[in-house]
Amino acid sequence: MEKQVINTSGAPAPIGPYNQAIKAGSTLFISGQIALNPETGQIEKDNITSETHRVMQNLRAILTEAGMDFSDVVKTTIFIMDMNDFSQINEVYGKYFSGYFPARETVQVAGLPKGVNVEISMIAIK
């Protein structure tokens, strides 16, 4: 099976030894994205709503680079620092999908990179 590295300047560059995404055959595995603005290099976390929008915009850029969109997403994982933020995150997240929603789990964690409040990873199939 052919594997292809997917990287785009429309999403933040990796901050460790990983890639933004790997496409294996028709399946795209997207690394967890945080609210890092790819143009400024700054974390956008004024509030959980804007932070979640930035995460979803980063994910969209990677999907686009791979020739996909949110309709191709079959699985997501949402990591959050505070389960009290779940409803706001969920509201923003839901706006990026139409029709069928992907399978998903949401977990509260003890810490995330760069002190962010939310990180989301995805699997998509075309």
Side-chain angles (χ1 to χ4, degrees):
M1 177 182 305
E2 181 184 334
K3 290 191 283 186
Q4 176 186 2
V5 173
I6 304 293
N7 281 310
T8 175
S9 61
I15 56 176
Y18 62 91
N19 287 294
Q20 291 172 338
I22 297 290
K23 190 172 183 183
S26 61
T27 305
L28 181 68
F29 299 89
I30 303 177
S31 296
Q33 294 298 302
I34 60 174
L36 189 61
N37 183 313
E39 293 177 11
T40 66
Q42 299 298 309
I43 296 291
E44 293 181 2
K45 62 179 204 172
D46 295 333
N47 59 62
I48 196 64
T49 299
S50 64
E51 186 173 350
T52 306
H53 274 296
R54 169 47 59 197
V55 171
M56 297 301 287
Q57 291 163 6
N58 291 343
L59 289 162
R60 180 183 347 203
I62 296 167
L63 287 165
T64 300
E65 183 69 20
M68 297 183 178
D69 60 39
F70 285 109
S71 69
D72 298 309
V73 176
V74 296
K75 176 76 168 58
T76 64
T77 302
I78 301 176
F79 303 97
I80 60 177
M81 289 292 295
D82 185 347
M83 200 55 83
N84 291 316
D85 291 332
F86 175 76
S87 63
Q88 291 172 286
I89 293 167
N90 198 48
E91 183 177 340
V92 172
Y93 169 93
K95 291 177 181 178
Y96 287 82
F97 296 94
S98 60
Y100 294 104
F101 292 102
R104 177 184 87 185
E105 66 265 330
T106 302
V107 294
Q108 181 173 318
V109 295
L112 288 169
K114 298 195 175 277
V116 299
N117 298 297
V118 60
E119 178 176 357
I120 302 174
S121 64
M122 293 183 163
I123 300 171
I125 298 176
K126 186 84 170 178

